[in-house]
Amino acid sequence: MNHKWLDILSKNGYRLTDSRKAVVEIISLSTHALTPIEIYEKAKAKRDDIGLVSVYRTLEKLEELKLIQRVHQPASCQAFMVASQEHQHLLLCSTCGEIQFFDGDDLETLIATISKKTGFKISEHWLQLFGQCANCQKTQS
Amino acid sequence: MNHKWLDILSKNGYRLTDSRKAVVEIISLSTHALTPIEIYEKAKAKRDDIGLVSVYRTLEKLEELKLIQRVHQPASCQAFMVASQEHQHLLLCSTCGEIQFFDGDDLETLIATISKKTGFKISEHWLQLFGQCANCQKTQS
DNA sequence: CCTCTTATTGAAAATTATTTTCAATTATAG
DNA sequence: CTATAATTGAAAATAATTTTCAATAAGAGG
Ligand SMILES: [Mn+2]
Ligand SMILES: [Mn+2]
Ligand SMILES: [Zn+2]
Ligand SMILES: [Zn+2]
C-alpha cells in the first residue's frame, strides 16, 4: 500500500519527501480514522521536525488522489482513513474507532422506488453501520 | 412544528426569547440544511440585533432535544435541519440542497450478514442518497 | 401587575481548526 | 553536479466555535 501510494504521488508530479513519507506510512497502515493532529503526533516520532502544516498539505493531496477519504462520525468529521478504490461502505466501532469496509448491500430496488416516488435522479449513496467490534464486546459488559 | 418546538423548549426549562423564537422559526420551516451563519442572516431580518452566538446556543439546545440534526455532506458538515423523531434516511439534492426524508429501506438481512461475518454488534446505521431533484433536472441540462 | 431569581443576551475575547505567506531548503530532471 | 521548481516549517492570517462577562428580561410566585 505504502509503496503504491508513493508511486502514485510521484507519478502525479509530487516529490517524495521525508515528511510526506511519514504521513503516508501512518495513514496507509491505520485501521482507525485519524485526525490531522493525531497524524502529526505520530509523524513526529519518525521525523521530529515535521510541521503540522505538512500533514494538512499531504492529506490534501492524498484526498485529491482518492487514496484517503474523510470519515463522518457523530462526534466529528475531521478524521481520515484509507479509501477503497471501488464504491464502498463503512462499518465502524463506536467504542474503539476501528473501521472496516463491507459490501453486499443491494439498494437497487430501494433506489428505483425512491427515485420514482420523488423524481430525484440518484447518483450516489452513503451507507455506514455503527456498532461494537468483537474485541470491544469482550472487553467490557 | 414551530409551536411544538417552543413548547418542548419551554417544558425543558428553556425560556422563550425573541432570539430563540426567530431561530426556531427559520430552521423548523426550512427544506434545506442551514449553517449557523445562514440562520443568523435570516434571523437578522426578524430581529436585527440578534447575535450569532445566540444562534449557536439555540442550535445546541435544539440538537440536544433532538429537534434538529447535523447534516453531513461531501462539501461540509456544518449545516442543520429538522430531525425526524423516528429512525430516518435522507435524500439530498446536490444541486439546490433540498432535503427529504425517505424510508422503506430493508437492511435487516444485510446487517445480519455483516454482523455474522465480522462479529460486530450493529446498533445504528446511516443511509443517505444523493442526487438531483426533479426541479434541478429541468432547470439545467 | 410587582418582584425576585436566574436564564439569556450580545459584545468581545479566547480557543481551535485550517489556510496562506514567505524565505530557506531540497527532490529530481537533465 | 547543477538548475529549477516543488516543498518545507514558522509565523501570520482567516474561519469556526466557545467562553467570559456585565446588562437585560423571562417567567414563577405572590
Ligand atoms: Mn452501496
Ligand atoms: Mn434504515
Ligand atoms: Zn472496537
Ligand atoms: Zn435540487
Side-chain angles (χ1 to χ4, degrees), chain A residues 50-82:
Chain A
I50 192 175
L52 175 57
V53 74
S54 285
V55 173
Y56 275 103
R57 289 189 280 224
T58 301
L59 290 176
E60 186 178 297
K61 285 160 185 71
L62 294 175
E63 193 177 24
E64 168 206 325
L65 296 171
K66 304 217 208 276
L67 296 171
I68 63 169
Q69 68 185 141
R70 187 178 291 272
V71 176
H72 301 263
Q73 293 191 258
S76 122
C77 303
Q78 285 144 239
F80 293 85
M81 69 174 291
V82 173

Side-chain angles (χ1 to χ4, degrees), chain B residues 24-140:
Chain B
V24 164
E25 177 155 291
I26 289 161
I27 192 164
S28 70
L29 297 176
S30 176
T31 58
H32 291 58
L34 299 172
T35 62
I37 295 277
E38 286 168 343
I39 295 168
Y40 172 63
E41 315 267 62
K42 286 175 194 284
K44 272 199 294 206
K46 294 181 195 294
R47 186 174 166 68
D48 76 332
D49 64 334
I50 192 175
L52 174 57
V53 72
S54 285
V55 173
Y56 276 102
R57 289 190 278 225
T58 301
L59 290 174
E60 185 178 297
K61 285 162 184 70
L62 295 175
E63 193 178 23
E64 168 206 326
L65 296 172
K66 306 217 207 278
L67 296 171
I68 63 170
Q69 66 185 141
R70 186 178 292 270
V71 176
H72 303 262
Q73 293 191 257
S76 120
C77 304
Q78 284 144 239
F80 293 84
M81 71 174 290
V82 173
S84 126
Q85 294 326 93
E86 326 92 58
H87 166 73
Q88 38 96 342
H89 316 94
L90 300 183
L91 173 60
L92 306 93
C93 177
S94 304
T95 306
C96 72
E98 194 200 320
I99 303 185
Q100 298 185 16
F101 290 115
F102 71 86
D103 51 37
D105 70 320
D106 181 17
L107 299 176
E108 293 311 311
T109 314
L110 174 67
I111 288 175
T113 308
I114 303 298
S115 198
K116 184 169 298 175
K117 199 179 298 184
T118 61
F120 268 67
K121 187 194 292 173
I122 295 166
S123 47
E124 199 189 341
H125 66 259
W126 277 2
L127 174 59
Q128 294 192 176
L129 306 181
F130 295 92
Q132 202 174 31
C133 72
N135 235 305
C136 289
Q137 284 172 59
K138 270 182 283 176
T139 309
Q140 49 156 237

